[in-house]
Amino acid sequence: VIIMAPELLILLGAAVILQADLLPDKKFLLLPPINFTIKAVNLAQVLLHWEPNPDQEQSNVQLGYHVKINAPQEEDYETRNTESSLITILHKGFSASVQTVPWNNQSLQASSWVSAELKAPPGSPGTEIVNLTCTTNTKADNYTHLRAYQVSLHCTWLVGKDAPDDTQYFLYYRYRSRIEECQEYSKDILQRNVACWFPRTFINSKGRDSLAVYVNGSSKEAVIKPFDQLFALHAIDRVNPPANVTAEIKGTYLSIHWEKPVSAFPSHCFDYEVKIYNAKKGYFQTEKMTTNTLIAITDDVSKYYIQVRATVSPVCRAAGLWSEWSQPIYMGKDDQKPWTEWFLIAVMMTFCFILLIFSLICRICHLWTKLFPPVPVPKSNINDFFVIINSEKTGSSETEVISYVEEAGFETLEDSVF
């Protein structure tokens, strides 16, 4: 044991030294970065920049930075770079903070925070636009062979509640590095711009970048506050309806076929809904499809109204808007009369029924006699004429007295002297 004691002491000392090397250096402190700035470099885009602290003690610890966005909305992330570009709205201002953190040694404590701020642009409250909405739509590009499809942009907004009557607004959009100013406006009754139309843009309908829209204004009575907003393309893209919808009835089967909408997305990127209206039974049947063909069973006695709509599948991008329904097509028999014919028939039958009831009432209550009494006419002397003829034939010298009863409703005429 005495012989082994020095070796044990040596091993114990080595373990203590190794443990000391593994423990963090309590004297090593992380210092905050310096010269932290925030600069607006584009529409709805800022650049955050800072520098490492020159007094930071050198060591084998790798340094990184923790960035915290304070406004317009809270967000945080870590990076090893000394600058960061962000896409964000700026009409409310922007502020952020940054601190130094150990990148590969979590036992060290992060530095204190340093902050910077980009103030909101000037303007009178209530003069900025409200309810900004935008939609995109894709059409086939017949003007150039460089791009098969062209994306249009349409935006609308409402005038600020405290904006003077002479306020005029101007809209710009930015997609990636391209900025365009609107050239086609729609106006309200005071000739203020309230909508914008871009028939051709640089927007890629398949892209995942945000669309930044910026609207400022001018007035002689007030400083108009600008407004900006970010749009995800999948959320504002108005998909076209399916093209060339056709249907055919074969026996008791209804076969429906269509083509994919006009779009830069390929055929497998669409989901569909087919709506079939049975005119005889009066109900809708809706089927969801991932292909462009549907076969349904018919009753062979009804007329069918068929429509199809489409949306881009989540397989190819985030879920977005459905298209409008395609123009209806009609198939099958139509044993039912249109509602306009039924309406006219019902009106005529109602009129005839009322006329019949009125006639019966008039007959029962003698209304015709009361409303239209007989007109008096002179009494005919035809009876006297026949009496005279008779007397002459008999040759009688006796005077015959002829009497008769006058009909009711006629007056007795006075004797006339000839």
Side-chain angles (χ1 to χ4, degrees):
V1 176
I2 296 174
I3 297 175
M4 296 180 61
E7 296 178 357
L8 292 174
L9 291 174
I10 292 173
L11 292 173
L12 182 60
V16 170
I17 293 173
L18 181 61
Q19 185 177 6
D21 291 339
L22 294 175
L23 291 174
D25 188 356
K26 300 297 183 182
K27 295 182 180 180
F28 184 77
L29 298 176
L30 296 181
L31 301 178
I34 62 172
N35 299 331
F36 179 36
T37 58
I38 301 175
K39 182 180 179 181
V41 294
N42 216 329
L43 295 183
Q45 184 177 13
V46 294
L47 180 65
L48 283 61
H49 180 80
W50 58 89
E51 298 176 2
N53 196 308
D55 297 330
Q56 180 66 60
E57 181 182 352
Q58 299 298 319
S59 71
N60 60 350
V61 177
Q62 295 182 357
L63 302 181
Y65 302 95
H66 182 196
V67 181
K68 182 170 65 175
I69 310 301
N70 303 316
Q73 58 186 12
E74 294 186 357
E75 180 185 352
D76 69 297
Y77 58 93
E78 290 187 351
T79 178
R80 295 198 64 187
N81 300 321
T82 58
E83 68 177 18
S84 179
S85 178
L86 297 176
I87 306 299
T88 179
I89 60 173
L90 297 176
H91 68 274
K92 295 181 178 180
F94 185 90
S95 65
S97 303
V98 62
Q99 65 177 175
T100 306
V101 296
W103 196 257
N104 62 349
N105 189 340
Q106 301 301 320
S107 63
L108 293 177
Q109 186 175 2
S111 74
S112 58
W113 293 96
V114 292
S115 300
E117 180 183 11
L118 188 67
K119 293 185 177 181
S124 301
T127 58
E128 71 274 17
I129 66 166
V130 294
N131 293 350
L132 175 64
T133 60
C134 294
T135 57
T136 58
N137 183 249
T138 302
K139 294 186 180 300
D141 192 350
N142 299 321
Y143 299 96
T144 176
H145 297 289
L146 299 178
R147 299 177 64 181
Y149 299 97
Q150 186 65 51
V151 178
S152 62
L153 174 66
H154 183 250
C155 295
T156 62
W157 59 88
L158 298 178
V159 174
K161 61 183 180 62
D162 296 323
D165 291 345
D166 70 335
T167 300
Q168 194 56 279
Y169 294 107
F170 307 96
L171 182 141
Y172 306 78
Y173 84 85
R174 179 179 65 80
Y175 181 71
R176 296 176 179 171
S177 60
R178 301 295 296 264
I179 297 177
E180 275 195 290
E181 180 182 0
C182 181
Q183 302 297 325
E184 297 185 29
Y185 288 103
S186 298
K187 301 178 182 293
D188 63 5
I189 57 175
L190 296 179
Q191 296 303 303
R192 297 176 295 191
N193 296 335
V194 292
C196 171
W197 166 248
F198 291 92
R200 299 169 63 83
T201 68
F202 295 99
I203 299 171
N204 181 1
S205 59
K206 297 174 63 177
R208 300 180 183 273
D209 302 87
S210 296
L211 175 70
V213 178
Y214 174 83
V215 181
N216 61 11
S218 64
S219 170
K220 295 181 180 179
E221 301 180 15
V223 177
I224 306 302
K225 193 174 182 64
F227 180 86
D228 57 354
Q229 188 169 337
L230 298 176
F231 295 94
L233 289 182
H234 70 271
I236 64 171
D237 184 29
R238 179 66 68 181
V239 181
N240 291 304
N244 298 330
V245 181
T246 59
E248 182 181 8
I249 292 181
K250 297 179 179 180
T252 59
Y253 292 96
L254 173 62
S255 176
I256 307 169
H257 181 78
W258 59 90
E259 297 177 4
K260 85 173 187 74
V262 174
S263 173
F265 287 96
S267 299
H268 72 271
C269 286
F270 290 94
D271 291 336
Y272 302 98
E273 276 192 356
V274 183
K275 182 169 62 175
I276 305 173
Y277 175 66
N278 188 318
K280 180 179 180 181
K281 298 182 179 179
Y283 72 88
F284 287 97
Q285 174 187 351
T286 304
E287 300 289 343
K288 291 188 176 182
M289 306 290 298
T290 56
T291 61
N292 61 345
T293 300
L294 172 64
I295 297 178
I297 298 177
T298 67
D299 56 15
D300 199 30
V301 294
S302 295
K303 187 169 187 178
Y304 295 91
Y305 300 75
I306 302 161
Q307 292 178 286
V308 187
R309 67 176 182 174
T311 187
V312 179
S313 170
V315 174
C316 297
R317 75 171 183 192
L321 302 173
W322 282 91
S323 73
E324 298 292 337
W325 289 101
S326 64
Q327 292 295 320
I329 59 176
Y330 310 97
M331 296 296 298
K333 300 177 181 179
D334 190 4
D335 293 335
Q336 294 181 326
K337 294 181 180 296
W339 69 270
T340 51
E341 293 187 17
W342 283 117
F343 178 76
L344 292 175
I345 292 173
V347 169
M348 294 178 63
M349 291 181 65
T350 303
F351 177 76
C352 293
F353 180 74
I354 293 174
L355 185 61
L356 177 61
I357 296 298
F358 181 74
S359 300
L360 291 175
I361 293 174
C362 291
R363 184 176 182 85
I364 294 172
C365 299
H366 302 288
L367 289 180
W368 289 115
T369 305
K370 296 177 181 179
L371 293 175
F372 307 102
V375 178
V377 296
K379 187 176 63 174
S380 176
N381 291 328
I382 191 66
N383 293 333
D384 295 340
F385 175 76
F386 284 111
V387 169
I388 295 171
I389 298 273
N390 250 350
S391 299
E392 291 179 351
K393 285 183 179 180
T394 56
S396 172
S397 60
E398 297 177 358
T399 302
E400 296 183 3
V401 179
I402 306 299
S403 64
Y404 55 90
V405 179
E406 297 185 2
E407 296 181 2
F410 290 89
E411 297 178 357
T412 305
L413 296 179
E414 296 181 356
D415 293 336
S416 300
V417 178
F418 295 94

